[in-house]
Amino acid sequence: MSSLLRPRDTDAVRAALRRVAAEGDVPVLFGGEVHEDALLLSEFVGTRTAGLRGLVVRSNSGLGGATMVAGRPLSVSDYRNAASITHDYDAPVLTEGIRSVLAVPVVVDGVPRAMLYGAYRSGAPFGGLAADLMVGSARRLAHELRVRDEVDRRMRLLEARAAGAANPVIAAGTATAAHPAATSAISTASSAVAPSNQVKAPLWTVSESDIAAVAKVEDRMARAFEATSAYLD
């Protein structure tokens, strides 16, 4: 359910870049999501070529890869001759005419989740208002992703509880390792269900003792479900 409700994170990256474009004088902006050790460039504002589109940037490679590892903004004022980065991606970067670049990681709970780049086609150093806008936009995006993650987490809990309403024993089993009360209740309910010889008579000759045994099982299962619901709350 949550995967259907969550907006695309790349849309949030695009919105962050457009905000910087609207508020600052940054001619070239691009970025994308980070998955494990790879950044996929997917969003662009002000580019003239298609060389950067779909480029996969690996950690420790180029300016973006170095920024992923450092976990903080990094910049170079002369990309072609920068000694502080590798030059795996010189062809698409230089074809775009880029010289001065700032890369800002979007970090959520210590993990880089996206990258925002701002660039000039001149050799002017990246700083001042433009850099502040980039960093601020990355922070807002990190907050947005954190909120989306929390919504996903809560949706998963709701889904688990909905499944538990249909089958409380299965749902309760998901909490046994973390909640002793639920473990005890489930164990008690299971011990009541397991002996199939408690109700021996055919359906058409069910005795009052058989009905009482079933009622006890239902009561124990209900208490197991309540213990699990309290844990999830």
Side-chain angles (χ1 to χ4, degrees):
M1 182 182 296
S2 58
S3 61
L4 296 177
L5 295 177
R6 179 171 179 143
R8 295 194 315 160
D9 290 345
T10 50
D11 291 343
V13 173
R14 185 185 309 115
L17 294 174
R18 288 179 175 174
R19 185 181 301 112
V20 175
E23 298 177 4
D25 185 22
V26 183
V28 184
L29 294 156
F30 53 99
E33 290 185 84
V34 175
H35 298 283
E36 296 182 354
D37 66 342
L39 159 67
L40 174 62
L41 297 181
S42 61
E43 311 305 318
F44 304 88
V45 177
T47 52
R48 297 172 180 170
T49 70
L52 293 170
R53 190 170 300 277
L55 183 67
V56 176
V57 178
R58 300 291 178 182
S59 62
N60 272 321
S61 298
L63 179 63
T67 303
M68 273 192 278
V69 173
R72 59 184 176 82
L74 296 176
S75 67
V76 294
S77 58
D78 183 0
Y79 192 94
R80 180 192 295 271
N81 298 309
S84 58
I85 61 172
T86 69
H87 290 271
D88 303 77
Y89 313 111
D90 277 10
V93 172
L94 299 177
T95 299
E96 185 60 42
I98 289 172
R99 290 188 63 188
S100 179
V101 193
L102 170 67
V104 183
V106 178
V107 180
V108 179
D109 297 328
V111 178
R113 295 279 295 277
M115 189 75 64
L116 305 182
Y117 292 85
Y120 294 117
R121 293 187 174 92
S122 66
F126 218 113
L129 176 61
D132 290 344
L133 285 172
M134 291 283 296
V135 171
S137 191
R139 286 175 178 167
R140 284 190 293 270
L141 179 54
H143 176 71
E144 171 68 19
L145 296 181
R146 189 176 293 109
V147 169
R148 292 184 180 193
D149 290 349
E150 178 61 17
V151 170
D152 283 353
R153 186 187 71 82
R154 296 187 182 190
M155 289 299 297
R156 286 193 294 270
L157 287 178
L158 288 174
E159 290 169 352
R161 293 181 68 176
N167 195 333
V169 173
I170 292 177
T174 63
T176 56
H179 198 282
T183 304
S184 176
I186 294 165
S187 177
T188 303
S190 298
S191 65
V193 174
S196 58
N197 59 357
Q198 284 189 13
V199 182
K200 298 180 180 180
L203 182 60
W204 55 88
T205 60
V206 174
S207 67
E208 291 185 3
S209 61
D210 294 332
I211 295 174
V214 172
K216 289 181 179 179
V217 171
E218 291 176 344
D219 179 65
R220 289 168 180 169
M221 291 177 68
R223 284 190 282 110
F225 181 53
E226 288 173 0
T228 305
S229 297
Y231 167 69
L232 292 176
D233 288 337

